Amino acid sequence: MDSRAQTPQDFAVGVSVLLVTIIGVLAFVQGSAVGVYESPDVQRNQPIADRAATYLVENHSVEGTRNLIRYNASGGINESLNMDSSELDTLKTNAGLDVATERRVNPRVNVTVVNASSLEVGTRDPAVDDHDQRLAWGPDVANRDNVATTSRVVKLTNATGQCDPVCWLIVRVW
């Protein structure tokens, strides 16, 4: 008959396995556990913000490069968004963001390019190009609640002094 009781090593191994299991479960359900406390508006608009950002990067990138956005070139992001309405209706149509129904209105979209140097000092102020034009399009997002935000790391062509070393293309939807 073995009269050996639980040793400290048995206890340590058991507790370690339990902790690893709990941490693993929390890691896999993190989005759904935290998502319960998010606004339904943010949950509904997050895929819309992701789609708009993806559309902008895919349609304004220099051929054969990754996240190098045409800025002051023909068909560049600056030309495209400046020619759009103040509500960015063309962007919403082309990116497939028009989701209006009898119960839902189309989302409002804001696109901003932020220089990495702004991010270092803790602000998300829009970058400014050589002609003192702010790189922000669409309605102002200030003082808005429940805004879904997505960002992409990009570089801009023909934008002297910008994106050193990189910029963020930030799309906000509410």
Side-chain angles (χ1 to χ4, degrees):
M1 179 173 201
D2 190 7
S3 61
R4 181 176 167 262
Q6 183 179 21
T7 62
Q9 293 85 1
D10 294 337
F11 178 75
V13 168
V15 169
S16 297
V17 169
L18 177 68
L19 287 175
V20 166
T21 303
I22 291 172
I23 290 170
V25 167
L26 290 176
F28 285 114
V29 296
Q30 173 185 357
S32 62
V34 176
V36 171
Y37 300 105
E38 281 186 344
S39 161
D41 294 334
V42 173
Q43 291 176 354
R44 181 182 70 234
N45 289 331
Q46 190 63 51
I48 297 170
D50 291 338
R51 176 179 271 190
T54 300
Y55 172 82
L56 287 169
V57 171
E58 287 179 355
N59 287 286
H60 295 290
S61 287
V62 174
E63 186 85 24
T65 65
R66 209 178 140 151
N67 294 4
L68 179 61
I69 305 293
R70 291 185 317 271
Y71 176 65
N72 270 342
S74 178
I77 194 168
N78 187 38
E79 177 184 282
S80 173
L81 294 177
N82 281 338
M83 288 176 30
D84 205 343
S85 70
S86 63
E87 294 289 323
L88 299 179
D89 293 325
T90 305
L91 168 64
K92 290 191 281 190
T93 300
N94 291 343
L97 307 181
D98 290 329
V99 294
T101 63
E102 290 179 8
R103 295 175 29 178
R104 289 178 54 178
V105 296
N106 282 325
R108 301 190 69 186
V109 178
N110 173 280
V111 178
T112 307
V113 175
V114 178
N115 198 338
S117 59
S118 299
L119 297 170
E120 286 178 9
V121 296
T123 65
R124 287 190 175 202
D125 296 332
V128 178
D129 69 6
D130 296 338
H131 306 292
D132 291 329
Q133 176 185 350
R134 294 176 65 228
L135 304 184
W137 302 271
D140 191 15
V141 75
N143 302 322
R144 303 270 184 210
D145 292 329
N146 302 325
V147 176
T149 303
T150 192
S151 58
R152 301 287 190 270
V153 176
V154 298
K155 289 192 86 143
L156 301 178
T157 63
N158 304 328
T160 309
Q162 296 302 323
C163 301
D164 187 23
V166 295
C167 283
W168 281 13
L169 175 72
I170 300 175
V171 177
R172 297 178 183 102
V173 176
W174 64 98

